Amino acid sequence: MQKESDQPRFLPVSEPLLAGNEKKYVNECLDEGWVSSNGKFIARFEDEFARFCGVKHALSCCNGTVALHLALLALGIGPGDEVIVPTVTFVATANAVHYVGATPVFAESERYTWNLDPADVERKITRRTRAIIPVHLYGLPCEMDAIHALARKHGLHVVEDAAEAHGGEYRGRRAGSLGDVATFSFYGNKNLTTGEGGMCLTDDDELAAKIRLLKGQGMDPQRRYWFVLVGYNYRMTNIEAALGLAQLERADSLLGRRREVFGWYRELLGSHHALELQPELPHTRHACWMFTVLVPSDRERDAVAAALLGERIETRPVFPCMHLLPPYQHLAPAGSLPVAEEISRRGLNLPTSPTLTRADVERVCDALRRAL
Ligand SMILES: *Cc1c(COP(=O)(O)O)cnc(C)c1O
């Protein structure tokens, strides 16, 4: 048997870098006893994250799924309503719509960017449509001008699911500032992490107050134990906020390293005849969450993933389409969103972490070329 040290380093598809004040701030929570959802780091993290995104209000919560749930609740979306979501997304986007009793309506992806296709969104609008949830897939900001034009024309809300796009930009504005409400996740594999955690952002004072009420059990801020509506316990802990603040202090470095990793991949794989890459558009700044390639077919995709795993390199398939999953497959037939289905079948996420070196990325690219 080979010794562990003889083997090349295992490259996970994503790993966090916790090399700043994370330990110091968490220890402050432990030393001072503030381990629950009160404590100095919560407001500091919210204020700093609001500033980072250029938005007035940031409201922390316990994960990105809950952030979407709070956003839809605060907008008053409920039974009988339809919400248009991309079919290529993480399942939380669709689940949050289901949680409020509304129906997710799945829309097609753009062939070039893999993001929500505004032309198909327009086709999916009905009398019942109340909101659109664009998702910046793998960090590439969606075509927000076109989505807002549709929203204005049809009187719809825009909930920006920015869970994968901390630091991304669209026409000079940060992801998180591009919807009526925006939501983030700080899960361990995201651009910035708190372990588990989420955030809602909005410039609207009323929506912010509603979200604050909903996430704190519905308690009247002026009157303790007086609950004015059925709320939720969706709060972030001080320990999570401590991690988040430390991550945010180093956001430029963390995001810069991811951008460097993306640059190496683009340089080494950009001209490969069998691969398609997600573009970076002149008016957007990719948040560089997951470097992703489309290989020629689904069979090849699975073979390539197995070959890379054999070389101790983890990959991930692009998300399966939501309309093909058991809870949602009654809503749209297989084959009805062909562009999205193809991207989902052919797409593979490659390791993307701030911890990767150029040599690591070269190793991934060599293994990928051999496998193809
Ligand atoms: C990660 C993610 C979420 C949910 O985040 P959690 O913090 O894991 O609940 C929501 N939407 C998208 C697009 C995501 O990638």
Side-chain angles (χ1 to χ4, degrees):
M1 209 174 93
Q2 261 190 325
K3 287 206 310 285
E4 175 72 17
S5 57
D6 294 338
Q7 300 203 6
R9 183 165 87 91
F10 178 74
L11 298 180
V13 79
S14 175
E15 65 184 352
L17 180 58
L18 305 163
N21 283 322
E22 286 84 351
K23 196 176 276 179
K24 174 168 176 273
Y25 291 169
V26 168
N27 277 334
E28 280 179 40
C29 299
L30 301 183
D31 292 340
E32 295 165 10
W34 293 103
V35 294
S36 257
S37 56
N38 277 311
K40 64 184 179 189
F41 288 113
I42 293 169
R44 278 175 69 188
F45 181 40
E46 289 177 340
D47 292 349
E48 290 299 319
F49 197 68
R51 202 196 324 270
F52 177 78
C53 295
V55 178
K56 191 167 171 194
H57 303 282
L59 302 118
S60 60
C61 57
C62 47
N63 58 59
T65 307
V66 149
L68 285 163
H69 190 195
L70 288 168
L72 295 174
L73 286 168
L75 291 168
I77 292 164
D81 296 336
E82 292 176 355
V83 177
I84 300 175
V85 303
T87 193
V88 178
T89 182
F90 180 62
V91 71
T93 318
N95 284 353
V97 176
H98 183 83
Y99 297 160
V100 299
T103 304
V105 173
F106 299 111
E108 185 61 290
S109 308
E110 291 180 319
R111 183 67 192 83
Y112 183 54
T113 66
W114 318 344
N115 269 329
L116 183 61
D117 180 357
D120 195 49
V121 170
E122 182 151 40
R123 284 191 286 272
K124 299 274 153 70
I125 293 172
T126 72
R127 278 186 310 107
R128 292 173 180 273
T129 309
R130 295 284 313 281
I132 309 167
I133 312 184
V135 176
H136 308 312
L137 191 71
Y138 301 127
L140 179 64
C142 290
E143 205 36 78
M144 295 304 292
D145 282 352
I147 290 164
H148 277 292
L150 288 173
R152 266 195 308 276
K153 184 169 159 198
H154 297 273
L156 310 176
H157 297 294
V158 176
V159 175
E160 180 194 1
D161 183 347
E164 304 180 359
H166 321 61
E169 288 176 16
Y170 178 80
R171 299 197 189 281
R173 295 177 58 194
R174 274 269 160 91
S177 71
L178 305 169
D180 298 327
V181 186
T183 64
F184 282 89
S185 164
F186 301 106
Y187 185 66
N189 65 12
K190 297 286 161 77
N191 278 357
L192 300 173
T193 185
T194 62
E196 293 273 3
M199 195 80 86
C200 292
L201 292 117
T202 182
D203 281 325
D204 185 312
D205 298 344
E206 257 176 65
L207 280 176
K210 190 83 190 283
I211 291 168
R212 195 177 292 286
L213 195 62
L214 284 162
K215 76 171 205 172
Q217 302 281 26
M219 190 166 80
D220 186 337
Q222 315 309 333
R223 192 173 168 192
R224 290 178 74 201
Y225 300 105
W226 190 256
F227 301 96
V228 297
L229 48 74
V230 177
Y232 300 81
N233 177 0
Y234 277 177
R235 296 178 300 254
M236 176 179 276
T237 67
N238 196 43
I239 295 176
E240 289 164 339
L243 280 172
L245 183 66
Q247 288 268 291
L248 198 50
E249 286 171 353
R250 293 177 27 97
D252 286 349
S253 153
L254 292 171
L255 297 168
R257 281 165 175 257
R258 297 190 98 94
R259 174 155 285 276
E260 209 172 17
V261 168
F262 261 58
W264 294 328
Y265 275 129
R266 285 206 182 100
E267 175 195 329
L268 296 167
L269 299 176
S271 57
H272 197 290
H273 63 94
L275 295 176
E276 278 179 60
L277 313 182
Q278 196 179 26
E280 180 155 47
L281 308 172
H283 60 291
T284 65
R285 186 175 176 84
H286 202 302
C288 299
W289 181 46
M290 281 278 161
F291 192 84
T292 306
V293 294
L294 302 189
V295 302
S297 71
D298 47 343
R299 279 192 33 221
E300 235 150 327
R301 196 258 306 266
D302 297 343
V304 164
L308 265 61
L309 195 59
E311 302 202 31
R312 298 174 58 74
I313 298 166
E314 187 189 33
T315 59
R316 265 185 12 182
V318 159
F319 302 122
C321 289
M322 295 298 105
H323 71 284
L324 303 179
L325 297 178
Y328 297 120
Q329 58 191 206
H330 62 288
L331 295 173
S336 60
L337 299 166
V339 176
E341 289 173 36
E342 185 185 333
I343 289 164
S344 165
R345 272 198 309 268
R346 289 174 45 198
L348 195 66
N349 302 138
L350 302 181
T352 313
S353 304
T355 52
L356 293 175
T357 63
R358 179 163 177 120
D360 293 330
V361 171
E362 283 173 355
R363 207 183 115 203
V364 176
C365 295
D366 288 345
L368 179 61
R369 271 198 228 93
R370 273 197 304 277
L372 285 165

